[in-house]
Amino acid sequence: MTEEQRKWFDTVIDRHNTNSRKFDIPQAEGCIPMWIADMDFKAAPCIMDAIRKRIDHGIFGYTWIPDAYYEAVRWWFKHKYELEIPRKAIVNIGGLVPAASVAITALSNPGDEVIFFTPAYNCFFGNVRQTGRKASECRLIFDSEGCAKIDWEDFESRCKTAKLLLFCNPHNPAGRLWKRDELERINRICVENGVRIISDEIHGEITAPGTKYVPFATVGECVSFTSVTKSWNLAGLQISNIICQNSEWREKINDTIRDWEHRDVNPIGVCALPAAYSEEGEIWLDCMREYIWENYALLKERFEKDLPQFKVSPLEATYLAWVNISASGKNADDFCEDLRARGGVMLNPGTMYGSPDYVRINIACPKATLEEALDRMVEALKA
């Protein structure tokens, strides 16, 4: 990373008074928000250029998806992961939370069991509940280093009665980058038991430098969710894709999207995606990954030095550190509220993910911001 590139991430940008969910809420007043999963980095220059060009046109009506959009998706996954995606397999949708509800509805029936690994992305609980399915929570096991592992015996047992697996690849909030042999074992167990796989891969690009995530579609048949919104910090642009090569499943998914009127997408997002899935976008992404893991090393070192009672799980993917706070004697809700009130730092309590002994820390911020937040946390928690 050059010094000029480092400025992309070192620059502290005031996000107040921009209607930011992260900063402009009453609870965040006087705080450093390190909770909701968006970055404090400006979008990549190539994306900014594409957006400016689109905005200069001045009309933002209903949008048709151009060929360049589909070709960018196809090029990216072939270029990065040797995954061939037919154009017809790409289904557009505004966001991955509604995509999960759409896929669950299309591929199962009310009352069916849906497996997901807990701790889990908080919206998974709602996706299953609101579609009238039953949650089958398979608890991850954390080893002595804090790394999440699958309880294979429990998982295989649950597959005997479930119809779907709602998977998170890589895993949020535990930060696991699933290995190919783990995915192959999951696929084998699901195939043997007739369990269909839905894989949320929105964090797929955010892995430690020198590593890559393995798209589940390279291992077995599945429905995958992808987006540029998380990796390139474009969450507000509401543009995502459902990747499904099974024509029968895809027809059911398209029918559900039409029934629910989820077809329209954001015109700004449509022009941002090809810019992200480009050689210039890849350069920004690689620099961001390097910066995130420098931040992770800083956080881990500081915790080991000043707060050794709280174990930081290994961060293999995402920009979300997962920290065990059971030594505090408090549940995560109380821990986070005390830290917000006394230390001026906002974190996500693990309670919302099904793990009251953990907190999630968003480290996608300038180094100076992270250093100040760590100073505040150490002072508040030591006191």
Side-chain angles (χ1 to χ4, degrees):
M1 183 176 359
T2 67
E3 288 305 310
E4 190 63 32
Q5 290 168 336
R6 186 170 292 278
K7 290 179 183 177
W8 295 341
F9 311 104
D10 272 342
T11 302
V12 178
I13 300 170
D14 186 359
R15 297 186 59 186
H16 293 95
N17 302 314
T18 62
N19 301 316
S20 166
R21 281 182 61 191
K22 189 174 183 181
F23 283 79
D24 291 329
I25 58 172
Q27 302 96 306
E29 186 175 353
C31 289
I32 299 176
M34 305 187 75
W35 61 297
I36 194 169
D38 69 16
M39 305 184 199
D40 295 336
F41 307 138
K42 188 176 288 189
C46 59
I47 295 174
M48 297 290 287
D49 290 343
I51 290 174
R52 286 191 192 98
K53 182 178 180 180
R54 180 65 183 85
I55 288 175
D56 285 345
H57 181 261
I59 299 176
F60 310 103
Y62 296 116
T63 298
W64 191 259
I65 309 295
D67 288 342
Y69 177 102
Y70 294 103
E71 290 309 309
V73 175
R74 298 182 67 226
W75 174 82
W76 182 260
F77 281 89
K78 173 64 175 176
H79 166 66
K80 295 288 286 186
Y81 311 109
E82 290 297 316
L83 175 61
E84 294 279 4
I85 300 176
R87 186 187 188 284
K88 63 184 179 182
I90 305 170
V91 179
N92 316 111
I93 194 166
L96 295 192
V97 174
S101 293
V102 163
I104 290 170
T105 299
L107 301 182
S108 65
N109 296 309
D112 284 347
E113 292 180 14
V114 179
I115 301 170
F116 53 91
F117 295 107
T118 52
Y121 174 48
N122 53 296
C123 290
F124 281 8
F125 296 93
N127 288 136
V128 174
R129 182 180 63 253
Q130 292 163 11
T131 53
R133 276 61 175 173
K134 296 179 181 178
S136 179
E137 299 180 28
C138 187
R139 298 292 302 178
L140 294 172
I141 301 168
F142 289 86
D143 65 18
S144 60
E145 297 302 314
C147 185
K149 307 287 186 181
I150 293 172
D151 183 335
W152 293 106
E153 183 177 349
D154 184 39
F155 175 60
E156 191 156 9
S157 175
R158 291 176 184 278
C159 284
K160 302 295 183 187
T161 56
K163 297 299 182 183
L164 290 176
L165 168 64
L166 182 55
F167 191 55
C168 196
N169 176 38
H171 192 275
N172 169 30
R176 268 302 314 275
L177 179 61
W178 302 112
K179 306 301 187 289
R180 181 173 290 275
D181 64 328
E182 292 173 305
L183 300 182
E184 289 173 343
R185 188 172 180 182
I186 289 170
N187 185 65
R188 177 180 58 77
I189 293 170
C190 286
V191 169
E192 289 173 353
N193 290 279
V195 175
R196 294 170 174 176
I197 299 166
I198 301 170
S199 186
D200 179 352
E201 309 196 345
I202 194 171
H203 291 275
E205 315 303 340
I206 313 172
T207 66
T211 69
K212 289 183 180 180
Y213 98 106
V214 180
F216 208 107
T218 64
V219 171
E221 190 169 53
C222 68
V223 176
S224 302
F225 304 151
T226 69
S227 180
V228 297
T229 57
K230 197 65 67 178
S231 302
W232 283 269
N233 200 30
L234 306 172
L237 297 189
Q238 298 292 297
I239 188 74
S240 303
N241 296 302
I242 301 172
I243 310 295
C244 180
Q245 300 204 37
N246 182 303
S247 58
E248 179 187 350
W249 296 0
R250 189 170 63 249
E251 183 177 354
K252 291 180 179 180
I253 287 168
N254 272 313
D255 287 345
T256 305
I257 289 174
R258 281 190 290 268
D259 290 345
W260 290 8
E261 301 290 352
H262 278 338
R263 178 63 69 193
D264 287 339
V265 293
N266 187 314
I268 307 302
V270 171
C271 71
L273 179 141
Y277 286 158
S278 70
E279 291 180 357
E280 291 179 81
E282 185 175 15
I283 291 171
W284 186 94
L285 176 71
D286 288 343
C287 292
M288 181 273 289
R289 292 164 63 212
E290 181 180 342
Y291 196 91
I292 291 296
W293 265 266
E294 290 176 1
N295 276 358
Y296 167 65
L298 174 63
L299 177 137
K300 189 171 176 62
E301 179 183 15
R302 193 69 188 276
F303 266 76
E304 289 174 349
K305 175 186 175 185
D306 295 319
L307 300 168
Q309 68 273 35
F310 303 130
K311 178 172 285 294
V312 180
S313 289
L315 186 65
E316 300 173 345
T318 84
Y319 49 74
L320 305 162
W322 188 238
V323 182
N324 188 319
I325 51 89
S326 58
S328 70
K330 301 176 182 177
N331 67 47
D333 289 324
D334 292 339
F335 181 94
C336 287
E337 177 54 30
D338 287 350
L339 183 60
R340 184 195 68 83
R342 295 191 298 112
V345 178
M346 285 185 67
L347 310 180
N348 278 123
T351 316
M352 65 192 298
Y353 312 108
S355 291
D357 288 338
Y358 286 80
V359 296
R360 195 185 76 168
I361 307 176
N362 179 348
I363 59 172
C365 60
K367 181 180 178 181
T369 302
L370 178 60
E371 288 175 332
E372 182 180 350
L374 289 170
D375 286 344
R376 292 188 186 191
M377 293 173 67
V378 169
E379 182 178 358
L381 295 172
K382 280 191 170 182

